[in-house]
Amino acid sequence: RLLAGGTFPWDAATRAQLLALGQGGHVDSLDEIGTLDVAIGEAFAQAALRLLAQAGVAREAVRAIGSHGQTIRHRPHGAAHDGRHPFTWQLGDAHVIAERTGIATVADFRRRDVAAGGHGAPLVPAFHAALLHEAGEDRAVLNLGGIANFTLLPAHGEVRGFDTGPANALLDAWCVRHLGHPYDEDGAFAARGAVDPGLLARLREDPWFDRPPPKSTGREHFHLGWLEARLRGGERPEDVQATLLELTATTVAEALRRTQPATRRVIACGGGVRNRQLMARLAARLDGIALEDSARYGLDGDFVEAMAFAWLARQCLLGRAGNVPSVTGAAGPRVLGVVYPA
C-alpha cells in the first residue's frame, strides 16, 4: 500500500552526466565514477528525508529503505556479448544513504541474479504477481519506463517477464535534442508528425527484438547513436518522433502476441502512461485487448517501481527470494539485495 510518494529533480549537471553514461558514454577516470557514486547516494538520501518530512513520518518508523540505484551499464551477455563475465552496474552508494538517513538500506538487488545465470531484470514481475494476478484471466502488466517491459500473469502457469525494447528512453532523448524539453508532453511532438515506414522497418530490423525471452536491455543499446545509424538524412524531427512512438507500440504488441496470445487485459504503469498519444497507439496495436491504467487497481503508475523495490527490500530482510527464475533465467530463486545497517 502506497502511503506517500514524491518525485524530486536531479541537479542539471548530474542529470546530464547520467544521461550521457546511460547512452553509452564514457568517463575519464575512476575518480569520476567514485564521485558520481557518492553524489547519487547523497541525492537519494536527501530525497528520502524530504519525503519523510512531507509525509510526517518519523525516520524511526521506517524499517529499511530499498534503493534500486542508478543503472549506468547493463550487460547480461557480457561487454563483448559473448556470454563471458556478464554484469549489471548501478550507482548510488548505499553506505551514504544509510549514514545520512539513519535508516538501514537494502541495495544491489540485481547482481546476485546475474551471478546465478540470470539477466538481473526485470525484477518487478514478482511484485506484479503478488498484487495483480487474477485466477481465470490471462493478464499482462506493461511498464512504460525508459525501456518497456512485460510481466505475463497467465490464469494458469508460471509468471514470465521480459523487456520489449525502447519506450521513453529514445522519445525523451529525441525531444531534448529538438525541443529542449525533457519529455514529449502528451505525445504532442509525435502527434505533429507522420510515421516513416522505411525508418520504422530499419529500426525494427535490429536482431534484439526477435530474441526469445528471457531478455533485457537498456539505454546502452537503444540510444541516439543507435537511432542515428538508421536515419537516411533529411527526416523531419516530428516524423522521427512519431516513428519512435510507433516502434514502441509495435514491438510491445508483437511481443505480447508471440508470448501470451490469449491475453485479455493489459495493465499499464510507468511514465509512458501519461503520454496520451502513446497509449492511443498501443490501444490500436493491441486490437481488442483491454488496456488499463494501473491506477484503476489502486497502484499509482508513477510509484509502482518504487513500491516494488520497497517490497524487494522486505523480501531480503525476511530471507525470501526476490527473483522469478522463469522471468530472469536464473538457476533458481535467490534472496536479492545487500543490507547496509543504519
Side-chain angles (χ1 to χ4, degrees):
R1 188 161 62 93
L2 180 68
L3 300 180
T7 303
F8 307 99
W10 291 105
D11 70 82
T14 303
R15 183 177 187 275
Q17 191 174 13
L18 290 174
L19 286 173
L21 276 175
Q23 301 217 23
H26 298 281
V27 292
D28 295 327
S29 69
L30 290 176
D31 285 348
E32 189 175 350
I33 285 286
T35 300
L36 188 59
D37 189 29
V38 173
I40 293 170
E42 295 279 9
F44 286 170
Q46 289 306 309
L49 292 173
R50 287 175 63 186
L51 178 60
L52 289 174
Q54 290 176 9
V57 174
R59 67 178 76 185
E60 293 78 15
V62 180
R63 173 67 182 84
I65 292 170
S67 179
H68 170 276
Q70 182 69 34
T71 299
I72 60 169
R73 283 292 187 278
H74 183 66
R75 302 291 196 198
H77 298 289
H81 305 284
D82 58 3
R84 298 183 63 203
H85 309 305
F87 71 91
T88 185
W89 194 2
Q90 289 77 37
L91 297 185
D93 189 341
H95 293 285
V96 171
I97 301 172
E99 186 66 27
R100 301 293 181 266
T101 63
I103 301 171
T105 300
V106 186
D108 194 9
F109 290 95
R110 298 190 184 275
R111 293 199 294 174
R112 181 60 187 273
D113 187 87
V114 173
H119 279 240
L123 294 183
V124 180
F127 178 71
H128 288 158
L131 271 66
L132 294 170
H133 181 265
E134 179 71 24
E137 182 176 77
D138 285 356
R139 289 181 168 184
V141 182
L142 173 63
N143 175 49
L144 294 167
I147 299 298
N149 52 67
F150 267 129
T151 298
L152 304 183
L153 303 174
H156 306 286
E158 62 186 11
V159 175
R160 291 176 292 159
F162 54 92
D163 289 349
T164 66
N168 299 322
L170 285 174
L171 291 168
D172 291 352
W174 191 252
C175 193
V176 168
R177 172 173 290 185
H178 291 279
L179 298 184
H181 300 161
Y183 59 91
D184 184 7
E185 187 169 358
D186 284 334
F189 184 28
R192 297 205 307 264
V195 174
D196 180 330
L199 175 58
L200 181 61
R202 292 192 297 277
L203 297 174
R204 181 63 186 79
E205 285 171 356
D206 188 312
W208 187 90
F209 291 114
D210 293 322
R211 289 182 187 169
K215 63 179 184 177
S216 58
T217 190
R219 285 180 170 89
E220 68 279 351
H221 184 102
F222 293 108
H223 50 72
L224 284 181
W226 177 86
L227 169 62
E228 289 162 349
R230 290 157 175 81
L231 297 177
R232 293 285 169 81
E235 292 94 347
R236 296 195 313 156
E238 58 268 38
D239 292 346
V240 174
Q241 187 76 352
T243 305
L244 290 173
L245 187 144
E246 193 68 17
L247 175 69
T248 296
T250 299
T251 51
V252 163
E254 288 178 352
L256 187 61
R257 289 192 190 96
R258 283 197 304 265
T259 54
Q260 190 171 274
T263 300
R264 301 290 300 278
R265 190 178 315 278
V266 172
I267 301 168
C269 58
V273 171
R274 296 179 179 273
N275 186 324
R276 287 186 290 184
Q277 183 72 7
L278 176 57
M279 292 294 284
R281 291 307 304 151
L282 279 168
R285 286 287 188 176
L286 290 171
D287 188 24
I289 300 173
L291 176 63
E292 300 174 342
D293 190 321
S294 64
R296 182 170 180 174
Y297 297 84
L299 294 172
D300 185 326
D302 286 343
F303 299 110
V304 170
E305 189 153 348
M307 292 173 71
F309 278 86
W311 183 84
L312 285 167
R314 179 176 178 270
Q315 291 291 96
C316 177
L317 293 172
L318 294 174
R320 298 175 182 171
N323 65 338
V324 180
S326 59
V327 170
T328 66
R334 298 290 187 271
V335 176
L336 305 181
V338 178
V339 180
Y340 298 78

